[in-house]
Amino acid sequence: MGRIILARLAWAVPVIGVIVVVNFLIIHLAPGDPVQALVGDFPAPPGYLEQVRRDFGLDQPLPVQLWRYLENLLAGNLGYSFANRQAVLPLLLGRAGITLLLMVPALALASLIGVALGVAAAPRSGSLLDTGITALSLFGYSVPIFWLGQLLIILFAIDLGWLPAQGMISLRANPSGWAAAVDVLWHLVLPAFSITIFFMAIVARVARASVLAVLSEEFITTALAKGLSQRTILWRHVLPNALIPVVTVIGYNFGYSLTGAILVETVFAWPGLGNLFITSVGNRDYPVLQGILLLSAFMVVAANLVTDFIYVVLDPRVRRSYGARGA
């Protein structure tokens, strides 16, 4: 097990390094002047723009800026936000908690419901239940998540008035204690539901296809011939073999949770990393953009590492393959 973890970490380190450099170059070579975006359309005193560029190190050649960025990054310093006037790291940590508050429950619920729907549909292939679940998953996967969010706002917030349309807290009520927690959960319903519908559809489709593939294997026929019950075959033989592709999709969903929140947070004005990313693009806030992309890369790599670890637990063949390599 330790050999497997070390092998995957050895793969992850150079990947992160390449991502850091590529992100830096893409952001800095993109059109736009961050200093001009910071100052705006107001006429600046002579020499003021050049002074601001010197203060933020933007007057140096690009290779020098990259070298300084890498040095600061190794020291745990992600830079200073031009627009927010604060260090990038605490800014990202505060917003990341808000994004995870939205994404983790939604993705967990989507994974559970998606697996349940796929497992329920596959053994009844061609039935009315299977057709309904397939149609639901196709609808959830096909509908753009930002469009679904707008429909939910129109229906439940504007027409019916049951739920808040945007934001994370009620500014007029200004609740505290348990009332504040309930208020946050109330604001969480619509954006979380939008995310759940989309990712549930993906998991359900993969789970159904995987279970169908396992049900066609010869060892399932042998288990049926031995007189094992349908429930025993499903839980002891089908699910352990069908979960590998499902785990891959779930790990992918969690890995891209930060980037996947951009559209939802924009539609619902949820003050997380996705909202901060859109604002920083408009402000040409290089340090914040680099920090968000770096954090997203870490999330993807971490999700892949956890997924590989779950592979080892679920499938003994993976353990044997790594053992054979090390022998």
Side-chain angles (χ1 to χ4, degrees), residues 95-109 149 152-153 156-157 162-170 179-197 261 264-265 268-272:
R95 295 294 189 97
I98 297 174
T99 293
L100 293 177
L101 176 65
L102 169 64
M103 297 299 295
V104 171
L107 291 176
L109 187 61
L152 294 175
I153 290 175
F156 292 101
W162 291 353
L163 294 167
Q166 292 183 325
M168 182 178 174
I169 57 174
S170 299
V182 172
D183 186 55
V184 171
L185 292 176
W186 205 237
H187 284 78
L188 190 66
V189 172
L190 289 183
F193 183 75
S194 302
I195 296 168
T196 300
I197 290 295
V264 175
E265 290 187 359
F268 291 97
W270 188 263

Side-chain angles (χ1 to χ4, degrees), residues 118 201-211 242 245-247 249:
I202 299 175
V203 175
R205 288 169 62 86
V206 174
R208 178 186 178 276
S210 183
V211 171
V246 178
V247 168
V249 173

Side-chain angles (χ1 to χ4, degrees), residues 64-286:
V64 176
Q65 294 185 44
L66 175 60
W67 180 255
R68 290 181 177 177
Y69 173 68
L70 295 176
E71 286 183 332
N72 292 330
L73 191 61
L74 292 176
N77 180 13
L78 298 184
Y80 190 82
S81 172
F82 305 154
N84 296 278
R85 299 290 182 174
Q86 67 176 102
V88 172
L89 184 57
L91 175 63
L92 295 187
L93 292 179
R95 295 294 189 97
I98 297 174
T99 293
L100 293 177
L101 176 65
L102 169 64
M103 297 299 295
V104 171
L107 291 176
L109 187 61
S111 302
L112 292 175
I113 298 176
V115 170
L117 291 178
V119 171
R124 303 167 181 85
S125 179
S127 66
L128 183 61
L129 176 63
D130 178 46
T131 303
I133 292 176
T134 302
L136 177 63
S137 61
L138 182 61
F139 170 81
Y141 183 73
S142 303
V143 174
I145 194 169
F146 65 89
W147 185 73
L148 176 61
Q150 291 173 335
L151 289 183
L152 294 175
I153 290 175
I154 294 173
L155 177 60
F156 292 101
I158 298 176
D159 290 345
L160 299 176
W162 291 353
L163 294 167
Q166 292 183 325
M168 182 178 174
I169 57 174
S170 299
L171 299 178
R172 294 181 179 179
N174 193 21
S176 60
W178 283 106
V182 172
D183 186 55
V184 171
L185 292 176
W186 205 237
H187 284 78
L188 190 66
V189 172
L190 289 183
F193 183 75
S194 302
I195 296 168
T196 300
I197 290 295
F198 177 76
F199 287 105
M200 177 200 69
I202 299 175
V203 175
R205 288 169 62 86
V206 174
R208 178 186 178 276
S210 183
V211 171
L212 275 176
V214 175
L215 287 173
S216 64
E217 296 289 341
E218 293 182 356
F219 68 88
I220 300 298
T221 305
T222 303
L224 288 171
K226 289 181 177 180
L228 297 179
S229 65
Q230 294 283 351
R231 178 174 297 181
T232 301
I233 293 174
L234 178 64
W235 289 100
R236 296 188 58 182
H237 299 283
V238 175
L239 281 182
N241 290 278
L243 279 179
I244 297 296
V246 178
V247 168
T248 301
V249 173
I250 294 175
Y252 176 89
N253 292 342
F254 274 94
Y256 284 89
S257 60
L258 295 183
T259 54
I262 292 177
L263 293 177
V264 175
E265 290 187 359
T266 302
V267 171
F268 291 97
W270 188 263
L273 281 175
N275 199 308
L276 178 63
F277 181 84
I278 295 298
T279 304
S280 300
V281 169
N283 293 329
R284 305 295 192 274
D285 201 342
Y286 291 167

Side-chain angles (χ1 to χ4, degrees), residues 6-22 297-298 301:
L6 290 177
R8 305 309 292 172
L9 286 176
W11 163 86
V13 172
V15 170
I16 291 292
V18 172
I19 291 174
V20 167
V21 176
V22 171
F298 269 114
V301 171

Side-chain angles (χ1 to χ4, degrees), residues 49-68:
L49 297 181
E50 289 72 16
Q51 179 62 42
V52 174
R53 289 191 178 91
R54 284 194 297 270
D55 293 340
F56 289 111
L58 297 175
D59 60 327
Q60 300 295 324
L62 190 60
V64 176
Q65 294 185 44
L66 175 60
W67 180 255
R68 290 181 177 177

